[in-house]
């Protein structure tokens, strides 16, 4: 039996827009999305990740003026992964387009993703052709992909970004896995081989400041490296055995007078440094294992314009916050 499928321009599209303190960008991003994609059966689902700058007020205004706009607002800031995961879970259309509120990816580029999906793909990832980000960010991304793909052999769509078009059923299935270390880019290849990357335009941020810094990116990368590859833990185990064997040889050499005190001290310091690095990897692995134990949910919703599962709500009723 042949597989019957449909595409965003035929059955509809949910545009998921995660946002954290993006009050200056929200109306601009809305106007651009509607202008470029308004001919589709569209839903705009904003996910307010605990903003404190009035972003939620703007989103409420957009929802009141346009029935296509829906929103979820978290009880606090839960982070990027939580924000788009909530959007994927509650999308109502068969396809999800992820667009960040900062407008660095032009909404018009979504047509390239839609065209590529029609070749039968479940997920299409945009790849920046002329990245307009600081040099340090670009170097960091290059190092991330080199370590992840080349050294640790983690299957990742090369150069893939958060600007992506995904079947809602697939996106929701990934979210519902409730992984201890969720990482969407690395999970898609574990579920399907029908994914592709497409070159898209990129532009510099015009308003507001980026909420993604090197500390976040480094932590996110380490979680991927430890959670999706056994190579680091295997290397750590082998290193422990090697260091132990060398320490034993040094002990024998010292006892028999084959090495000087200075050489022994230098060797011990080197071994100690290696042991500390190995220990840090082991500790990080334990953190990943612990993340799989019972824990709070990835996010909790305080306010929403759509029906939300009770398990995703912190409180059954949540009165508005009064200012003093």
């Amino acid at each position: 039996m042949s597989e019957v499928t449909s595409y965003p321009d035929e059955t509809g599209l949910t545009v998921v827009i995660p946002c954290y303190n993006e009050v200056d960008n929200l109306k601009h991003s809305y106007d651009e999305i509607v202008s470029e994609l308004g001919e589709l059966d569209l839903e705009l689902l904003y996910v307010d990740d605990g903003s404190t700058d009035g972003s939620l007020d703007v989103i409420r205004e957009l929802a009141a003026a346009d029935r296509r706009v829906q929103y979820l607002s978290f009880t606090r800031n839960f982070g990027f992964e939580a924000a788009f995961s909530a959007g994927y879970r509650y999308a109502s259309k068969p396809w999800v387009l992820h667009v960040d509120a900062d407008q660095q990816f032009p909404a018009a580029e979504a047509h390239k993703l839609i065209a590529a999906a029609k070749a039968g793909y479940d997920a299409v990832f945009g790849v920046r052709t002329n990245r307009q980000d600081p040099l340090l960010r670009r170097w960091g991304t290059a190092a991330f992909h080199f370590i992840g793909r080349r050294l640790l052999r983690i299957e990742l769509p090369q150069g893939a970004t958060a600007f992506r078009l995904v079947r809602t059923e697939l996106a929701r299935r990934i979210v519902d896995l409730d992984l201890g270390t969720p990482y969407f880019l690395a999970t898609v290849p574990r579920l399907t081989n029908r994914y592709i990357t497409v070159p898209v335009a990129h532009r510099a941020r015009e308003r507001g400041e980026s909420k993604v810094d090197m500390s976040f990116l480094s932590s996110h990368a380490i979680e991927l490296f430890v959670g999706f590859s056994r190579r680091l833990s295997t290397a750590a185990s082998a290193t422990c055995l090697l260091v132990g064997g060398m320490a034993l040889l040094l002990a024998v050499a010292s006892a028999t007078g084959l090495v000087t005190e200075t050489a022994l001290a230098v060797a011990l310091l080197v071994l100690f440094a290696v042991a500390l690095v190995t220990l840090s990897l082991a500790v990080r692995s334990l953190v990943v294992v612990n993340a799989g134990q019972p824990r709070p949910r990835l996010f909790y919703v305080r306010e929403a314009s759509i029906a939300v599962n009770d398990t995703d709500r912190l409180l059954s009723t949540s009165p508005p916050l009064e200012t003093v």
Side-chain angles (χ1 to χ4, degrees), residues 218-236:
S218 298
S219 176
H220 210 44
I222 291 172
E223 288 185 357
L224 169 70
F225 298 159
V226 174
F228 285 80
S229 175
R230 294 182 178 179
R231 288 201 162 201
L232 279 179
S233 58
T234 300

Side-chain angles (χ1 to χ4, degrees), residues 131 136-148 150 158:
R131 185 173 182 178
L136 185 60
R137 283 278 301 275
R138 299 202 298 269
W139 285 353
T141 299
F144 163 82
H145 279 280
F146 176 77
I147 295 172
R150 298 292 182 87
Q158 178 65 47

Side-chain angles (χ1 to χ4, degrees), residues 279-298:
L279 179 61
S280 69
L281 292 175
V283 170
R284 192 64 192 179
S285 296
L286 290 176
V287 169
V288 171
V289 171
N290 183 65
Q293 305 306 309
R295 62 193 185 280
R297 296 184 67 78
L298 188 60

Side-chain angles (χ1 to χ4, degrees), residues 171-184:
R172 190 172 292 134
R173 189 173 296 277
I174 291 175
V175 173
D176 289 343
L177 289 174
D178 197 24
L179 299 175
T181 52
Y183 208 102
F184 193 84

